[in-house]
């Protein structure tokens, strides 16, 4: 087992953890210490149990807000998946396409005929 040393508020701690989990434990301790430091800055020195309780509650509050945001995003994603935005691409009917091609051919023939009749 690995041992990790860290500080929270005004106290140092050493905890054992599984090999490879040191980084996770340090990260969690740093989050808790950040909250504890904010409390100490506002309220000054206080007993360790109270400091840890308040820091834990602040983290729990932040986690709850993030869970609410994640749930809201998941609901929005589910709504979008269930009702995808429709994109309509205009399709020219084959009969209209054929008619337009025929008109274009006639126009070209008329233009050629007009050119042929020009003195030149």
């Amino acid at each position: 087992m690995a041992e990790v040393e860290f500080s929270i508020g005004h106290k140092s701690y050493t905890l054992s953890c599984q090999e490879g989990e040191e980084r996770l434990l340090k990260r969690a301790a740093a989050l808790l210490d950040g909250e504890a430091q904010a409390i100490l800055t506002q309220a000054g020195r206080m007993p360790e149990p109270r400091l840890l309780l308040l820091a834990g509650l602040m983290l729990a509050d932040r986690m709850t807000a993030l869970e609410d945001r994640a749930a809201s995003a998941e609901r929005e994603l589910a709504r979008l998946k269930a009702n995808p935005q429709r994109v309509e691409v205009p399709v020219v009917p084959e009969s209209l396409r054929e008619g337009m091609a025929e008109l274009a051919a006639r126009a070209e023939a008329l233009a050629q005929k007009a050119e042929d009749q020009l003195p030149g």
Side-chain angles (χ1 to χ4, degrees), residues 71-115:
S72 176
E74 287 173 352
R75 283 190 301 275
E76 179 66 9
L77 179 61
R79 185 189 68 75
L80 290 172
K81 281 183 176 179
N83 303 305
Q85 187 177 20
R86 289 190 57 187
V87 176
E88 294 187 26
V89 178
V91 178
V92 178
E94 188 61 35
S95 60
L96 182 58
R97 201 176 306 164
E98 289 172 1
M100 290 176 72
E102 185 179 325
L103 284 174
R106 284 171 143 176
E108 286 177 24
L110 285 172
Q112 186 63 47
K113 190 175 186 180
E115 251 183 54

Side-chain angles (χ1 to χ4, degrees), residues 10-83:
H10 45 73
K11 185 157 188 214
S12 295
Y13 298 89
T14 301
L15 283 179
S16 297
C17 64
Q18 298 294 323
E19 293 291 333
E21 293 183 352
E22 299 91 346
R23 193 175 121 261
L24 296 173
L25 179 55
K26 285 182 181 181
R27 185 174 176 204
L31 286 171
L32 189 57
D33 183 49
E35 296 298 332
Q37 293 299 333
I39 293 167
L40 290 173
T41 299
Q42 290 180 353
R45 198 161 180 86
M46 67 175 56
E48 175 191 359
R50 182 170 177 79
L51 177 63
L52 292 174
L53 173 65
L54 290 174
L57 288 172
M58 288 177 70
L59 281 176
D61 181 57
R62 192 181 333 164
M63 187 186 81
T64 300
L66 289 172
E67 285 176 341
D68 290 347
R69 286 179 58 195
S72 176
E74 287 173 352
R75 283 190 301 275
E76 179 66 9
L77 179 61
R79 185 189 68 75
L80 290 172
K81 281 183 176 179
N83 303 305

